[in-house]
Amino acid sequence: MKKILVTGGTVFVSRYIAEYYAQKGDDVCVLNRNTRPQPIGTTLIEADRRNLGDILRHYTFDLVIDTAYTARDVDLLLDALGSFGDYILISSSAVYPETAPQPFAEESPIGPNSYWGRYGTDKIEAERALTERAPGAYILRPPYLYGPMDNVYREAFVFDCASLGRKFYLPKDGSQRLQFFHIRDLCRFMDALLEKRPARHIFNVGNRDTVTLREWAELCYRALGREPEFVEVHGDVEQRSYFSFYDYEYRLDVTRQYELMDSVTDLETGIKEAWEWYRENGDKVNKKPYFEFIDSNLNG
């Protein structure tokens, strides 16, 4: 049994991680301000991560799993921690500039990405801060994460379209490609890291195969036993006004991930799991006014 600290723990990525390790029998502490329901089977350390004082000083953690957004987040946590063993930072593919050659490998240059803006540059600084102060830490760079507990209005938007019997408005011909990674596979890969302890400390993670927007929407409809009727949207309509993803196609080279973990969740299976969770937890998703825009600007 490991003593694990998970920062956050109240929404999607950190919540799933916390419950995953708690279900495995580990002693999981979550660090947050206690403004939301806590993950099942965990112990709350109630604090603002930017004002920690001595609250963590007397704990000893075998593993810290951090979803820090900025270098300041990392520095303040490291300043506050007592003894700890391993440290894993969940970073992002947003650290790669869209102008760099693809697929992005771990050695690819990192830098500002005009689609992700400050989010990406802050993640870069968080990575640098951690590497300077804890060079033995691991850094993971996922693409779009999905699965149960996802509070972002992506698959859930398509599920709503399918359940309401709506047509699906598809950017252009729907050939833009997306890369995904199931949240459970992210946890499984962390398990593989801790077991095999590779010398490399930065990893791209994700499914090797990408999927088109059209194929993704079809899988989401199929999870409800339905087939979409597509309407293609051409012209100068801003894609994020009516659709869940930026008009930005990228791909990560995940060769090194597959050397440590050679299987991932099939996308169709993962989307079905996401639907099973969403139909019981629709109130936990941050919905956006896509329908309003479609009905006012695209429908008819």
Side-chain angles (χ1 to χ4, degrees), residues 22 49 65 67 76 81 88 92 96 98 101 118 130-131 136 138 140 148 184 190 198 216 245 247 252-253 266 291:
R49 69 173 295 158
I65 303 175
T67 54
L76 289 175
L81 282 168
I88 299 175
S92 170
Y96 296 112
E98 77 276 14
R118 182 70 180 269
L130 181 60
T131 300
Y138 289 106
L140 307 184
R184 180 175 58 250
M190 289 192 288
W216 172 76
F245 297 93
D247 184 12
L252 300 175
D253 181 342
D266 172 79
F291 291 143

Side-chain angles (χ1 to χ4, degrees), residues 1 5 30 35 53 80-81 95 126 146 174-175 206 213 239 246 256 266 272 282 299:
M1 182 177 70
L5 175 67
V30 292
T35 59
L81 282 168
V95 301
Y146 79 107
S175 61
L213 302 183
Q239 184 166 309
Y246 288 111
R256 293 183 176 93
D266 172 79
K272 287 179 180 177
N299 194 359

Side-chain angles (χ1 to χ4, degrees), residues 13-278:
V13 175
S14 60
R15 186 180 190 90
Y16 189 99
I17 290 170
E19 293 196 5
Y20 174 87
Y21 283 103
Q23 289 170 6
K24 288 185 67 174
D26 291 312
D27 182 3
V28 179
C29 294
V30 292
L31 174 67
N32 62 67
R33 294 173 296 171
N34 197 21
T35 59
R36 300 170 184 260
Q38 299 301 316
I40 297 169
T42 65
T43 300
L44 171 65
I45 301 175
E46 184 176 345
D48 185 330
R49 69 173 295 158
R50 297 193 173 185
N51 186 25
L52 290 168
D54 293 329
I55 197 168
L56 298 176
R57 190 66 61 194
H58 303 295
Y59 286 89
T60 298
F61 296 107
D62 301 302
L63 171 63
V64 175
I65 303 175
D66 192 9
T67 54
Y69 287 98
T70 68
R72 182 168 179 251
D73 289 342
V74 170
D75 283 331
L76 289 175
L77 184 62
L78 289 173
D79 289 343
L81 282 168
S83 175
F84 67 92
D86 293 296
Y87 194 123
I88 299 175
L89 173 67
I90 311 301
S91 184
S92 170
S93 58
V95 301
Y96 296 112
E98 77 276 14
T99 53
Q102 296 190 33
F104 302 131
E106 290 87 349
E107 295 81 13
S108 295
I110 59 177
N113 182 301
S114 63
Y115 290 92
W116 295 112
R118 182 70 180 269
Y119 172 74
T121 53
D122 280 349
K123 281 290 193 181
I124 291 171
E125 293 306 314
E127 289 189 8
R128 287 174 176 162
L130 181 60
T131 300
E132 288 173 4
R133 296 190 57 181
Y138 289 106
I139 295 170
L140 307 184
R141 296 172 176 167
Y144 294 113
L145 291 166
Y146 79 107
M149 302 188 191
D150 188 353
N151 66 321
V152 183
Y153 203 38
R154 292 174 179 157
E155 288 77 29
F157 167 57
V158 192
F159 297 151
D160 282 347
C161 290
S163 63
L164 294 170
R166 293 179 63 106
K167 298 176 182 179
F168 193 79
Y169 286 77
L170 193 65
K172 304 182 181 66
D173 64 355
S175 61
Q176 177 186 331
R177 303 196 74 85
L178 301 171
Q179 188 173 22
F180 289 99
F181 199 43
H182 195 287
I183 183 63
R184 180 175 58 250
D185 291 335
L186 179 68
C187 296
R188 292 178 55 236
F189 185 71
M190 289 192 288
D191 289 342
L193 280 180
L194 297 173
E195 177 186 350
K196 299 177 182 180
R197 299 193 172 276
R200 167 176 295 277
H201 287 270
I202 297 178
F203 286 88
N204 291 339
V205 293
N207 292 3
R208 180 183 285 121
D209 297 328
T210 60
V211 62
T212 67
L213 302 183
R214 184 181 291 267
E215 292 166 339
W216 172 76
E218 288 172 340
L219 289 174
C220 291
Y221 269 77
R222 198 173 303 155
L224 281 74
R226 302 185 179 183
E227 294 295 328
E229 178 183 350
F230 289 116
V231 178
E232 295 185 3
V233 179
H234 296 272
D236 297 327
V237 182
E238 170 56 46
Q239 184 166 309
R240 283 300 297 271
S241 298
Y242 67 94
F243 190 69
S244 308
F245 297 93
Y246 288 111
D247 184 12
Y248 169 46
E249 179 177 289
Y250 71 92
R251 184 174 181 182
L252 300 175
D253 181 342
V254 293
T255 301
R256 293 183 176 93
Q257 168 203 313
Y258 275 78
E259 292 171 355
L260 298 181
M261 186 183 79
D262 61 3
S263 66
V264 297
T265 302
D266 172 79
L267 186 58
E268 183 167 8
T269 299
I271 287 176
K272 287 179 180 177
E273 292 177 3
W275 161 242
E276 292 297 324
W277 177 83
Y278 178 63

